[in-house]
Amino acid sequence: MNKVTKNSSFWAGQIVQGVVIGTLLTMAVVGLINASSYGQIFRYQGF
Amino acid sequence: MIEFWYYWVSAAVSVVIFWNLPQGLKFPFLGIVSFGFIASFEPLTVAMMLAIALMVYFLHNRADQKPLFRLATKFLITVVAAYLFYFKYMPALASLFANGYDFANLLLPMGISYFSFKLIHYVLERSRGMLPQHSFWEYFAWVFFVPIFTAGPIQRFDLFMNGRSSTWDNQMAWDGLTRIAIGLIKKFVLGAICLFVLESLNYGSTGRLLNNLEDTSPLRVILFLCFCYLFVYMDFSGYTDIAIGTGRLFGLRIMENFNFPIFAPNIGNLWKRWHMSLASWCQSYIYMPTLGVSRSPYVAVFASFLVMGLWHAASWNWVAWGLYNAAGVAIYQKWTMTARKKKWRIIKTKAYSFAAYPLTFLFFAGSFAFTITHGEHGLYAALRILFRCFGIDI
C-alpha cells in the first residue's frame, strides 16, 4: 500500500475537503433552484 | 438565463448531440439551438438581431472590391451603432424633451449591448483582414452562443475560432464542470452571503440606508459600498465562470472577464482585471483611435470610460461612474509619471505598496455609489453616499 494512503491525517483531510465542497455545491444548487424567487436588491446593470 | 431549469437541460442534451455530430454539422447545430433558445424569449427583437447579423456577414462577404468594402464597413458600423442607439439611448434622450416622441414602451432587446459590441468588433477586424477563415455557421454560433449572449464576455471572434477543441476530451469536460461549480458557488453561496450582509447594512430593505444617511456612520456607508463591490464581483464573475465552463463542454474557449480585481494594486491594474472583455474592447476601438487623433492619453482615458459608462446604461449615474473611474486612472497615471520623473522614494517603500491594495479596493468600491443609485435615486443620491463616507452631508 502507498504510504500516503496509510496516513489517517491524509484521509481526514480528504473527508473534510469533500464535506466542504459537497456542502458548498449543495448550497449553490439549492440557491440555483430558488433563483426565480431570489430577492436580489442589486443587479449588475447593462445586461 | 441560468435560473431557468431548461437552460441546464438543453445545455446537457446539446453537449451530447454536439459531440455525436459529424464535424461539419457541429456549428450549424450550435448556432440553430442557441438562436432558437434566445428566440423563445423575445422572438420579435431576436428576429431584428438576426437581420442585422445576416446583413453584417453577407454584405461584407459580397463587397469584395476595396472601395465597396470600405463603404460596407462604414455602413455596417452605422447600422449596428444606430440599432444600439435607438433602443438604448433614445428613451433617455426623448425624456429630456417634454414634447419628444414617447419611447416609454420601447423594450430593451435582451443582450443588445453585448451583441452590438461583438458585431462592431467583427466588422472592424474583418475590414482589417485580422479574422481567421471561417464559415457562416461558425459566425452564427459565435453571435448567438447562449451562455455569453446576455451577460458576456464580449467574446473576440478570433479567440472563439482559435481556442477550440475539435474532439471530446475528458480533461476539457472536467475543467468545464469544475468551472461551472465554482461559478454556482460564487453566485449562489458567496454572493448570497454578501447580499445578506448588504441587507443588514441597508437596515433590512432597499433604500433605507439612503433615507437614514445623515444618521448613518461613515464606516457603515463605506462597508456598504465594499459589500456592493463584493456582491457584484461574486455575482458577475460567477456568471462568467458558468459561461466559460459551459463553453468548455462544447470545446470552446470563452475569454476570461475577471482576474481577482479585489487584489489589484492600483486603479490602472484593476481595469486589466475587472470586466476585461469590455475594457479590452474599449482599449482597441476607443482608447487607441482617440489617442491617435488627440495625442493625449488623458483624453483617450476619459473617452474610453465615458463609452464604458454609457455602454452600461444611458443615465447620468453611469456617465459619472465613467468619469469617476477615468479621473482615478488619469490621476494615477500622472502621479506615477511624476513620481518616477522626480525619483520620489515613497513609491518604492513597503508602506506605499501595502497601502495601495486597500486604497484601490476602496476607490473602486466608491464607484458603486453611482451604480446602485442608478434609476430611481439619481446622481444626487450617489454624491450624498460618497460624501457621507467622509462624514459630510450634502
PDB file of all heavy atoms in Angstrom, chain B residues 96-115:
ATOM      1  N   LEU B  96     -35.635  63.904 -22.103  1.00  0.00           N
ATOM      2  CA  LEU B  96     -35.107  65.243 -21.842  1.00  0.00           C
ATOM      3  C   LEU B  96     -35.997  66.321 -22.461  1.00  0.00           C
ATOM      4  O   LEU B  96     -35.987  67.463 -22.046  1.00  0.00           O
ATOM      5  CB  LEU B  96     -33.692  65.386 -22.414  1.00  0.00           C
ATOM      6  CG  LEU B  96     -32.584  64.561 -21.749  1.00  0.00           C
ATOM      7  CD1 LEU B  96     -31.278  64.758 -22.484  1.00  0.00           C
ATOM      8  CD2 LEU B  96     -32.416  64.962 -20.287  1.00  0.00           C
ATOM      9  N   PHE B  97     -36.743  65.914 -23.494  1.00  0.00           N
ATOM     10  CA  PHE B  97     -37.611  66.873 -24.182  1.00  0.00           C
ATOM     11  C   PHE B  97     -39.068  66.546 -23.884  1.00  0.00           C
ATOM     12  O   PHE B  97     -39.524  65.434 -24.155  1.00  0.00           O
ATOM     13  CB  PHE B  97     -37.369  66.829 -25.693  1.00  0.00           C
ATOM     14  CG  PHE B  97     -35.930  67.025 -26.048  1.00  0.00           C
ATOM     15  CD1 PHE B  97     -35.127  65.932 -26.379  1.00  0.00           C
ATOM     16  CD2 PHE B  97     -35.355  68.281 -26.016  1.00  0.00           C
ATOM     17  CE1 PHE B  97     -33.779  66.098 -26.685  1.00  0.00           C
ATOM     18  CE2 PHE B  97     -34.019  68.450 -26.318  1.00  0.00           C
ATOM     19  CZ  PHE B  97     -33.233  67.360 -26.650  1.00  0.00           C
ATOM     20  N   ALA B  98     -39.768  67.516 -23.330  1.00  0.00           N
ATOM     21  CA  ALA B  98     -41.141  67.277 -22.886  1.00  0.00           C
ATOM     22  C   ALA B  98     -42.045  66.841 -24.033  1.00  0.00           C
ATOM     23  O   ALA B  98     -42.929  66.010 -23.858  1.00  0.00           O
ATOM     24  CB  ALA B  98     -41.693  68.544 -22.244  1.00  0.00           C
ATOM     25  N   ASN B  99     -41.821  67.421 -25.235  1.00  0.00           N
ATOM     26  CA  ASN B  99     -42.706  67.091 -26.348  1.00  0.00           C
ATOM     27  C   ASN B  99     -42.145  65.982 -27.234  1.00  0.00           C
ATOM     28  O   ASN B  99     -42.634  65.751 -28.338  1.00  0.00           O
ATOM     29  CB  ASN B  99     -42.968  68.327 -27.212  1.00  0.00           C
ATOM     30  CG  ASN B  99     -43.688  69.392 -26.408  1.00  0.00           C
ATOM     31  OD1 ASN B  99     -44.523  69.070 -25.564  1.00  0.00           O
ATOM     32  ND2 ASN B  99     -43.348  70.648 -26.634  1.00  0.00           N
ATOM     33  N   GLY B 100     -41.117  65.305 -26.753  1.00  0.00           N
ATOM     34  CA  GLY B 100     -40.485  64.254 -27.563  1.00  0.00           C
ATOM     35  C   GLY B 100     -41.394  63.048 -27.744  1.00  0.00           C
ATOM     36  O   GLY B 100     -42.362  62.857 -27.009  1.00  0.00           O
ATOM     37  N   TYR B 101     -41.075  62.259 -28.752  1.00  0.00           N
ATOM     38  CA  TYR B 101     -41.855  61.056 -29.029  1.00  0.00           C
ATOM     39  C   TYR B 101     -41.783  60.136 -27.810  1.00  0.00           C
ATOM     40  O   TYR B 101     -40.755  60.050 -27.141  1.00  0.00           O
ATOM     41  CB  TYR B 101     -41.269  60.367 -30.276  1.00  0.00           C
ATOM     42  CG  TYR B 101     -41.918  59.059 -30.622  1.00  0.00           C
ATOM     43  CD1 TYR B 101     -43.189  59.038 -31.190  1.00  0.00           C
ATOM     44  CD2 TYR B 101     -41.269  57.852 -30.366  1.00  0.00           C
ATOM     45  CE1 TYR B 101     -43.785  57.834 -31.503  1.00  0.00           C
ATOM     46  CE2 TYR B 101     -41.863  56.647 -30.677  1.00  0.00           C
ATOM     47  CZ  TYR B 101     -43.129  56.644 -31.249  1.00  0.00           C
ATOM     48  OH  TYR B 101     -43.718  55.450 -31.554  1.00  0.00           O
ATOM     49  N   ASP B 102     -42.873  59.487 -27.514  1.00  0.00           N
ATOM     50  CA  ASP B 102     -42.910  58.658 -26.309  1.00  0.00           C
ATOM     51  C   ASP B 102     -42.229  57.303 -26.561  1.00  0.00           C
ATOM     52  O   ASP B 102     -42.735  56.468 -27.296  1.00  0.00           O
ATOM     53  CB  ASP B 102     -44.369  58.450 -25.899  1.00  0.00           C
ATOM     54  CG  ASP B 102     -44.456  57.700 -24.584  1.00  0.00           C
ATOM     55  OD1 ASP B 102     -43.415  57.612 -23.896  1.00  0.00           O
ATOM     56  OD2 ASP B 102     -45.549  57.222 -24.254  1.00  0.00           O
ATOM     57  N   PHE B 103     -41.062  57.125 -25.934  1.00  0.00           N
ATOM     58  CA  PHE B 103     -40.315  55.877 -26.079  1.00  0.00           C
ATOM     59  C   PHE B 103     -40.477  54.976 -24.864  1.00  0.00           C
ATOM     60  O   PHE B 103     -39.776  54.001 -24.711  1.00  0.00           O
ATOM     61  CB  PHE B 103     -38.819  56.173 -26.279  1.00  0.00           C
ATOM     62  CG  PHE B 103     -38.484  56.679 -27.639  1.00  0.00           C
ATOM     63  CD1 PHE B 103     -38.579  58.026 -27.928  1.00  0.00           C
ATOM     64  CD2 PHE B 103     -38.073  55.821 -28.642  1.00  0.00           C
ATOM     65  CE1 PHE B 103     -38.270  58.506 -29.189  1.00  0.00           C
ATOM     66  CE2 PHE B 103     -37.758  56.290 -29.897  1.00  0.00           C
ATOM     67  CZ  PHE B 103     -37.852  57.630 -30.176  1.00  0.00           C
ATOM     68  N   ALA B 104     -41.422  55.372 -23.995  1.00  0.00           N
ATOM     69  CA  ALA B 104     -41.536  54.668 -22.714  1.00  0.00           C
ATOM     70  C   ALA B 104     -41.824  53.181 -22.887  1.00  0.00           C
ATOM     71  O   ALA B 104     -41.399  52.361 -22.080  1.00  0.00           O
ATOM     72  CB  ALA B 104     -42.622  55.317 -21.875  1.00  0.00           C
ATOM     73  N   ASN B 105     -42.528  52.832 -23.965  1.00  0.00           N
ATOM     74  CA  ASN B 105     -42.896  51.428 -24.154  1.00  0.00           C
ATOM     75  C   ASN B 105     -41.860  50.621 -24.937  1.00  0.00           C
ATOM     76  O   ASN B 105     -42.087  49.453 -25.222  1.00  0.00           O
ATOM     77  CB  ASN B 105     -44.258  51.329 -24.861  1.00  0.00           C
ATOM     78  CG  ASN B 105     -45.361  51.905 -23.985  1.00  0.00           C
ATOM     79  OD1 ASN B 105     -45.312  51.778 -22.765  1.00  0.00           O
ATOM     80  ND2 ASN B 105     -46.323  52.565 -24.600  1.00  0.00           N
ATOM     81  N   LEU B 106     -40.771  51.285 -25.294  1.00  0.00           N
ATOM     82  CA  LEU B 106     -39.733  50.606 -26.072  1.00  0.00           C
ATOM     83  C   LEU B 106     -38.978  49.620 -25.167  1.00  0.00           C
ATOM     84  O   LEU B 106     -38.408  50.012 -24.157  1.00  0.00           O
ATOM     85  CB  LEU B 106     -38.764  51.664 -26.615  1.00  0.00           C
ATOM     86  CG  LEU B 106     -37.954  51.307 -27.841  1.00  0.00           C
ATOM     87  CD1 LEU B 106     -38.872  51.064 -29.030  1.00  0.00           C
ATOM     88  CD2 LEU B 106     -36.992  52.430 -28.160  1.00  0.00           C
ATOM     89  N   LEU B 107     -39.026  48.355 -25.529  1.00  0.00           N
ATOM     90  CA  LEU B 107     -38.353  47.345 -24.705  1.00  0.00           C
ATOM     91  C   LEU B 107     -36.904  47.188 -25.159  1.00  0.00           C
ATOM     92  O   LEU B 107     -36.627  47.099 -26.350  1.00  0.00           O
ATOM     93  CB  LEU B 107     -39.072  46.005 -24.837  1.00  0.00           C
ATOM     94  CG  LEU B 107     -40.338  45.828 -23.998  1.00  0.00           C
ATOM     95  CD1 LEU B 107     -40.974  44.492 -24.305  1.00  0.00           C
ATOM     96  CD2 LEU B 107     -40.041  45.949 -22.509  1.00  0.00           C
ATOM     97  N   LEU B 108     -36.008  47.162 -24.174  1.00  0.00           N
ATOM     98  CA  LEU B 108     -34.592  46.988 -24.498  1.00  0.00           C
ATOM     99  C   LEU B 108     -34.356  45.531 -24.884  1.00  0.00           C
ATOM    100  O   LEU B 108     -34.578  44.636 -24.070  1.00  0.00           O
ATOM    101  CB  LEU B 108     -33.748  47.361 -23.276  1.00  0.00           C
ATOM    102  CG  LEU B 108     -32.257  47.482 -23.499  1.00  0.00           C
ATOM    103  CD1 LEU B 108     -31.936  48.647 -24.405  1.00  0.00           C
ATOM    104  CD2 LEU B 108     -31.544  47.656 -22.174  1.00  0.00           C
ATOM    105  N   PRO B 109     -33.905  45.278 -26.130  1.00  0.00           N
ATOM    106  CA  PRO B 109     -33.691  43.882 -26.506  1.00  0.00           C
ATOM    107  C   PRO B 109     -32.644  43.208 -25.618  1.00  0.00           C
ATOM    108  O   PRO B 109     -31.642  43.820 -25.243  1.00  0.00           O
ATOM    109  CB  PRO B 109     -33.188  43.981 -27.949  1.00  0.00           C
ATOM    110  CG  PRO B 109     -33.675  45.288 -28.431  1.00  0.00           C
ATOM    111  CD  PRO B 109     -33.664  46.192 -27.241  1.00  0.00           C
ATOM    112  N   MET B 110     -32.902  41.955 -25.326  1.00  0.00           N
ATOM    113  CA  MET B 110     -32.026  41.173 -24.445  1.00  0.00           C
ATOM    114  C   MET B 110     -30.604  41.102 -25.032  1.00  0.00           C
ATOM    115  O   MET B 110     -30.447  40.784 -26.216  1.00  0.00           O
ATOM    116  CB  MET B 110     -32.634  39.773 -24.401  1.00  0.00           C
ATOM    117  CG  MET B 110     -32.020  38.815 -23.459  1.00  0.00           C
ATOM    118  SD  MET B 110     -33.095  37.366 -23.299  1.00  0.00           S
ATOM    119  CE  MET B 110     -33.183  36.754 -24.943  1.00  0.00           C
ATOM    120  N   GLY B 111     -29.623  41.432 -24.219  1.00  0.00           N
ATOM    121  CA  GLY B 111     -28.225  41.288 -24.641  1.00  0.00           C
ATOM    122  C   GLY B 111     -27.787  42.245 -25.725  1.00  0.00           C
ATOM    123  O   GLY B 111     -26.753  42.034 -26.372  1.00  0.00           O
ATOM    124  N   ILE B 112     -28.516  43.360 -25.922  1.00  0.00           N
ATOM    125  CA  ILE B 112     -28.236  44.265 -27.055  1.00  0.00           C
ATOM    126  C   ILE B 112     -26.822  44.873 -26.979  1.00  0.00           C
ATOM    127  O   ILE B 112     -26.152  45.009 -28.008  1.00  0.00           O
ATOM    128  CB  ILE B 112     -29.317  45.384 -27.151  1.00  0.00           C
ATOM    129  CG1 ILE B 112     -29.094  46.234 -28.405  1.00  0.00           C
ATOM    130  CG2 ILE B 112     -29.379  46.240 -25.912  1.00  0.00           C
ATOM    131  CD1 ILE B 112     -30.183  47.248 -28.688  1.00  0.00           C
ATOM    132  N   SER B 113     -26.355  45.189 -25.760  1.00  0.00           N
ATOM    133  CA  SER B 113     -25.049  45.840 -25.632  1.00  0.00           C
ATOM    134  C   SER B 113     -23.929  44.885 -26.029  1.00  0.00           C
ATOM    135  O   SER B 113     -22.994  45.263 -26.745  1.00  0.00           O
ATOM    136  CB  SER B 113     -24.830  46.306 -24.197  1.00  0.00           C
ATOM    137  OG  SER B 113     -25.923  47.048 -23.762  1.00  0.00           O
ATOM    138  N   TYR B 114     -24.029  43.643 -25.567  1.00  0.00           N
ATOM    139  CA  TYR B 114     -23.005  42.641 -25.906  1.00  0.00           C
ATOM    140  C   TYR B 114     -23.060  42.328 -27.395  1.00  0.00           C
ATOM    141  O   TYR B 114     -22.030  42.237 -28.064  1.00  0.00           O
ATOM    142  CB  TYR B 114     -23.220  41.365 -25.093  1.00  0.00           C
ATOM    143  CG  TYR B 114     -22.935  41.565 -23.631  1.00  0.00           C
ATOM    144  CD1 TYR B 114     -23.953  41.806 -22.733  1.00  0.00           C
ATOM    145  CD2 TYR B 114     -21.631  41.524 -23.146  1.00  0.00           C
ATOM    146  CE1 TYR B 114     -23.688  42.013 -21.391  1.00  0.00           C
ATOM    147  CE2 TYR B 114     -21.351  41.726 -21.816  1.00  0.00           C
ATOM    148  CZ  TYR B 114     -22.383  41.973 -20.932  1.00  0.00           C
ATOM    149  OH  TYR B 114     -22.114  42.183 -19.623  1.00  0.00           O
ATOM    150  N   PHE B 115     -24.276  42.161 -27.913  1.00  0.00           N
ATOM    151  CA  PHE B 115     -24.489  41.845 -29.318  1.00  0.00           C
ATOM    152  C   PHE B 115     -23.867  42.931 -30.209  1.00  0.00           C
ATOM    153  O   PHE B 115     -23.103  42.634 -31.138  1.00  0.00           O
ATOM    154  CB  PHE B 115     -26.007  41.728 -29.553  1.00  0.00           C
ATOM    155  CG  PHE B 115     -26.425  41.593 -30.985  1.00  0.00           C
ATOM    156  CD1 PHE B 115     -26.400  40.353 -31.616  1.00  0.00           C
ATOM    157  CD2 PHE B 115     -26.869  42.692 -31.712  1.00  0.00           C
ATOM    158  CE1 PHE B 115     -26.798  40.224 -32.944  1.00  0.00           C
ATOM    159  CE2 PHE B 115     -27.268  42.568 -33.031  1.00  0.00           C
ATOM    160  CZ  PHE B 115     -27.235  41.335 -33.649  1.00  0.00           C
TER     161      PHE B 115
END
